[in-house]
Amino acid sequence: MKTIIFACIVSVALAAPQFQDPIAITRDERVDNGDGTFSYVFEADNGIAAQAAGVQGSQGQSNIEGSYSYPLSDGSGFVEVRYVADENGFRAESPFLPTPHPTPAHVIELLKIAEEQRAAGITFEK
């Protein structure tokens, strides 16, 4: 009986969460001008970093350009993503982001035909 109780206590101890060392923030700079313009830079000692700058947009929004990076889990390098968010939406660039398959030629042709039909006033019922 004592062996079973001991095994249960050991099992509970092993199942307890294992905490990692805290990650130090090595750089944290922020500027907010209150008029839609801002900038920030953030870095941590584990390799995570982010930076961005915002300027006033034509429709009252902040247009943002920035990037973020983090280390690959195997330690072989870093993932870096650069992005822009403005009147044209959010656009991110990185070789690590998945890309859609190219649209087949026959689908492009069908979309062109559909657009011509809409322009001619042709509609179809559902």
Side-chain angles (χ1 to χ4, degrees), residues 89-117:
F90 178 80
R91 298 174 308 282
E93 295 179 358
S94 174
F96 293 93
L97 293 175
T99 56
H101 294 287
T103 305
H106 71 279
V107 173
I108 293 172
E109 183 63 26
L110 290 171
L111 292 171
K112 180 181 168 190
I113 292 168
E115 186 59 36
E116 291 170 354
Q117 290 174 340

Side-chain angles (χ1 to χ4, degrees), residues 9-25:
I9 292 172
V10 169
S11 297
V12 168
L14 292 175
Q18 305 298 316
F19 297 102
Q20 296 180 344
D21 292 332
I23 298 168
I25 306 304

Side-chain angles (χ1 to χ4, degrees), residues 52-69:
V55 298
Q56 291 179 339
S58 64
Q59 300 174 12
Q61 81 284 356
S62 289
N63 289 346
I64 304 169
E65 186 171 335
S67 66
Y68 60 88
S69 62

